[in-house]
Amino acid sequence: MSNAYFRLQQPINEPIKTYKPGSPEKEELKKKLAELKSKQVEVPLIIGGEEIKTGNTAEMRIPHNHKHVLGVYHKAGKKEVDMAIEAALEARKEWAEMPWEHRVSVFLKIADLLAGPWRATINAATMLGQSKTVYQAEIDSACELIDFYRFNCYFMTQLMEEQPYSPNGMWNRSEYRPLEGYVFAVTPFNFTSIAGNLPTAPAIVGNVSLWKPASSAVYSAYFLMKLFEAAGLPKGVINFVPGSGGQVGTPAMSNPNLAGIHFTGSTEVFQNMWKVVSDNLKTSKYYPRIVGETGGKDFIFAHSSADVDALVVAALRGAFEYQGQKCSAASRMYIPKSIWGEFKEKYVGEVKKIKMGDVEDFTNFFSAVIDKAAFDSITKYIKYAKNAKDAEIITGGTFDDSKGYFIEPTTIVTTNPKFKTMEEEIFGPVLTIYIYDDNKLDEALTLCDETSPYALTGCVWAQDRKMISKMSDRLRNAAGNFYINDKPTAAVVGQQPFGGGRASGTNDKAGSAMNMLRWMTARTLKETFDPPKDWRYPFMSEE
């Protein structure tokens, strides 16, 4: 039995590899891309460590070359979800009681394997299955996910160190346990790191998970499951159940053993999940923990003192990296008339230089959106803007899905601050700009704060410190992640914990101890060394 007090050193963020010409990482990645493209895979469910094939399959295709099939995956239904719940609850018995240092060792090993021999595989799968450029894959499926595993283990130990005061005569202690039941993790297509974090953050502290990955990102998720197995994660701790939201989600959320939901996706889906949980409370054993990060209508707000050259770069990268499919992508911008002319000329010139195409061509900045449904939804907004009298398209506006789901980086300028694309989440490469009068700064700040129901990310730009202070204060509740003279994207684990409020989610800050605490439940212990032998109190005595 261990008799030492174990400590984890505070992690350092995983360095980003450059993939410059001639580098070993570039050579390895290109080989892995060719290898994965050369074969098709059949992705099963993984329940209790066993591979299960239902026969109900769907294809996995490359978004930027949708004629290329990467393989098929099997879909789960109620029968398989019930099996996964049973397997998870069985695995929980040993996993929850396992000394924490052994659970942590599994995830630190996953991090090291991902940083080393598995890096090219997970990055290549993300590039092919989700149309990410090499840089977008590297910062996501490698660096951020490695950081999640290392930092989450560290955050857990920080929380466990929090202990109450003990007066003489007693010893007060707090112990941190996993939730009873299982956690249902529902993950999005746009970040492999989120997909790898949502089922594992609860597992690190002793929980068991059912994991439903996005149907458009099953490919990279499957390779993550194989990585977990390679690192020695016990069978049944995480159960892999891809499939439709209704077929998987309904039975997973209706079971009385549901202890929590860890979700990233659309606001509409999350609100429906919350309702299902609420409707089932009378039969539930627990009040499930509900943690969700949902939509965003992320903003850039510029003051007349802003550095225009830097603002151009922030707008371009913030709006168009990963085809605008980041939860944090800039999708609306407020800019004063006094700098609009200079900004427009420079911005349009730079956007025109963006090269779009296959992610295997490392000179491309930009690739395809995730699938046909996304393509149709995004282009509908562009068509709307083209026909609107109060809007003008100054970049992009064209699209083509003949080979891949390509949409040019599109910029709309509107005279209507409540224009459709200023209010609604698009989740694609579309930035809408509203030009405000310099003497109406306060009105513009109110518009920025109140136009959208979301409050995920946003940034302000100014050189004038008084204006930075003013804008930051006025937009205090408009974004959970707020940036000053930077784009509103690229939160880093341990540096900028991520999450927003209002319709953007529960703001439980992935990448911090706050999120880990949601998956822990505390027991307070009081031990009295010399308990009283007489029930009477001194005040009861008569003089």
Side-chain angles (χ1 to χ4, degrees):
M1 185 174 179
S2 299
N3 62 358
Y5 181 76
F6 303 109
R7 285 185 178 274
L8 289 183
Q9 290 186 339
Q10 182 167 352
I12 298 172
N13 294 107
E14 176 69 12
I16 300 169
K17 292 187 180 292
T18 63
Y19 296 89
K20 63 184 180 181
S23 64
E25 65 265 22
K26 187 167 189 175
E27 181 180 355
E28 183 184 10
L29 180 62
K30 290 216 168 191
K31 286 181 180 178
K32 184 59 67 173
L33 287 164
E35 176 192 332
L36 293 184
K37 283 181 66 179
S38 70
K39 57 189 178 183
Q40 293 189 8
V41 296
E42 184 180 5
V43 175
L45 315 182
I46 301 177
I47 297 174
E50 303 300 320
E51 295 190 353
I52 294 174
K53 298 177 180 179
T54 64
N56 179 14
T57 61
E59 290 181 330
M60 300 176 293
R61 293 176 178 267
I62 296 176
H64 50 271
N65 183 11
H66 50 59
K67 290 184 175 61
H68 190 116
V69 178
L70 294 167
V72 298
Y73 70 93
H74 290 260
K75 296 181 179 182
K78 184 180 186 305
K79 174 186 173 183
E80 291 76 30
V81 171
D82 290 342
M83 290 170 57
I85 292 170
E86 184 178 350
L89 296 178
E90 180 63 29
R92 185 190 180 280
K93 297 173 185 176
E94 289 188 4
W95 182 247
E97 295 176 4
M98 183 180 288
W100 69 264
E101 65 271 18
H102 290 285
R103 293 199 309 267
V104 160
S105 294
V106 172
F107 288 95
L108 293 181
K109 183 172 183 177
I110 291 173
D112 276 14
L113 290 177
L114 180 53
W118 281 77
R119 193 184 200 114
T121 298
I122 302 300
N123 277 347
T126 299
M127 291 172 70
L128 294 175
Q130 290 139 269
S131 284
K132 288 207 167 188
T133 64
V134 60
Y135 178 74
Q136 292 300 313
E138 171 70 10
I139 62 175
D140 164 29
S141 48
C143 297
E144 185 169 36
L145 190 48
I146 293 163
D147 287 348
F148 271 132
Y149 295 139
R150 290 174 177 164
F151 277 87
N152 283 348
C153 291
Y154 175 72
F155 293 144
M156 181 186 71
T157 65
Q158 281 188 309
L159 290 165
M160 293 191 301
E161 286 182 1
E162 185 69 28
Q163 293 295 320
Y165 164 69
S166 296
N168 289 336
M170 68 181 70
W171 188 11
N172 295 319
R173 309 190 293 277
S174 289
E175 66 177 20
Y176 297 87
R177 303 163 292 154
L179 309 177
E180 295 182 84
Y182 63 91
V183 174
F184 182 39
V186 180
T187 62
F189 78 85
N190 59 336
F191 280 93
T192 302
S193 57
I194 299 176
N197 178 52
L198 267 53
T200 59
I204 287 171
V205 300
N207 292 286
V208 289
S209 301
L210 267 63
W211 176 19
K212 193 200 95 60
S215 296
S216 48
V218 173
Y219 189 67
S220 59
Y222 173 66
F223 285 104
L224 284 179
M225 276 300 295
K226 303 309 287 183
L227 169 58
F228 299 161
E229 292 177 349
L233 183 69
K235 297 178 179 180
V237 172
I238 295 175
N239 298 276
F240 183 70
V241 284
S244 73
Q247 292 294 309
V248 176
T250 300
M253 291 186 293
S254 301
N255 191 287
N257 292 287
L258 177 70
I261 292 174
H262 207 185
F263 174 85
T264 296
S266 76
T267 300
E268 181 182 2
V269 170
F270 189 54
Q271 289 174 348
N272 183 65
M273 293 173 77
W274 200 299
K275 184 178 185 302
V276 171
V277 171
S278 177
D279 289 344
N280 290 321
L281 280 179
K282 288 185 178 180
T283 58
S284 178
K285 294 181 180 180
Y286 323 108
Y287 290 106
R289 305 279 177 92
I290 304 178
V291 173
E293 187 257 294
T294 59
K297 193 64 184 171
D298 310 305
F299 62 83
I300 297 173
F301 194 100
H303 180 257
S304 58
S305 66
D307 180 326
V308 173
D309 290 332
L311 181 62
V312 166
V313 173
L316 185 153
R317 286 184 171 179
F320 302 132
E321 282 187 319
Y322 190 42
Q323 297 81 262
Q325 296 175 123
K326 297 183 180 183
C327 313
S328 56
S331 59
R332 58 188 172 118
M333 183 175 184
Y334 301 83
I335 188 167
K337 280 184 179 178
S338 58
I339 62 171
W340 167 241
E342 180 187 0
F343 174 86
K344 178 183 178 182
E345 181 181 359
K346 293 179 177 179
Y347 171 82
V348 171
E350 292 304 313
V351 172
K352 285 181 178 178
K353 297 176 185 176
I354 291 177
K355 191 165 176 275
M356 177 171 66
D358 194 313
V359 298
E360 291 183 75
D361 180 350
F362 284 21
T363 65
N364 286 327
F365 176 80
F366 195 90
S367 192
V369 298
I370 191 65
D371 57 23
K372 176 65 173 174
F375 180 87
D376 290 344
S377 174
I378 297 162
T379 55
K380 188 180 294 185
Y381 283 99
I382 296 173
K383 293 172 185 175
Y384 177 87
K386 284 182 176 179
N387 296 321
K389 295 180 179 179
D390 50 357
E392 174 192 7
I393 293 176
I394 62 170
T395 73
T398 62
F399 37 85
D400 182 2
D401 65 349
S402 58
K403 180 178 181 181
Y405 303 112
F406 290 104
I407 302 172
E408 284 193 339
T410 299
T411 310
I412 301 165
V413 178
T414 182
T415 56
N416 176 10
K418 299 286 187 176
F419 190 69
K420 187 181 182 74
T421 60
M422 288 291 287
E423 292 185 324
E424 298 180 15
E425 184 181 36
I426 301 173
F427 222 66
V430 180
L431 174 65
T432 306
I433 300 175
Y434 174 70
I435 306 157
Y436 68 89
D437 291 331
D438 289 60
N439 61 359
K440 293 184 178 179
L441 175 66
D442 289 334
E443 291 178 29
L445 286 167
T446 299
L447 283 169
C448 184
D449 185 41
E450 297 179 357
T451 293
S452 166
Y454 302 106
L456 189 54
T457 77
C459 64
V460 294
W461 280 78
Q463 297 294 86
D464 184 328
R465 178 52 61 175
K466 283 170 51 178
M467 289 298 104
I468 291 174
S469 177
K470 176 176 180 172
M471 293 188 294
S472 298
D473 185 62
R474 283 288 303 276
L475 299 173
R476 180 182 303 277
N477 296 310
N481 280 61
F482 194 83
Y483 299 79
I484 299 169
N485 290 330
D486 202 348
K487 58 184 171 59
T489 64
V492 177
V493 174
Q495 296 186 36
Q496 300 98 26
F498 193 78
R502 295 180 181 170
S504 290
T506 58
N507 201 18
D508 284 296
K509 295 301 184 193
S512 77
M514 287 179 276
N515 183 275
M516 299 303 289
L517 187 59
R518 296 287 277 146
W519 311 115
M520 303 164 81
T521 185
R523 182 170 74 154
T524 299
L525 299 90
K526 175 189 176 183
E527 182 176 355
T528 301
F529 297 130
D530 185 17
K533 306 292 193 300
D534 188 341
W535 62 270
R536 287 173 285 268
Y537 291 98
F539 77 87
M540 300 172 64
S541 301
E542 292 289 353
E543 295 181 6

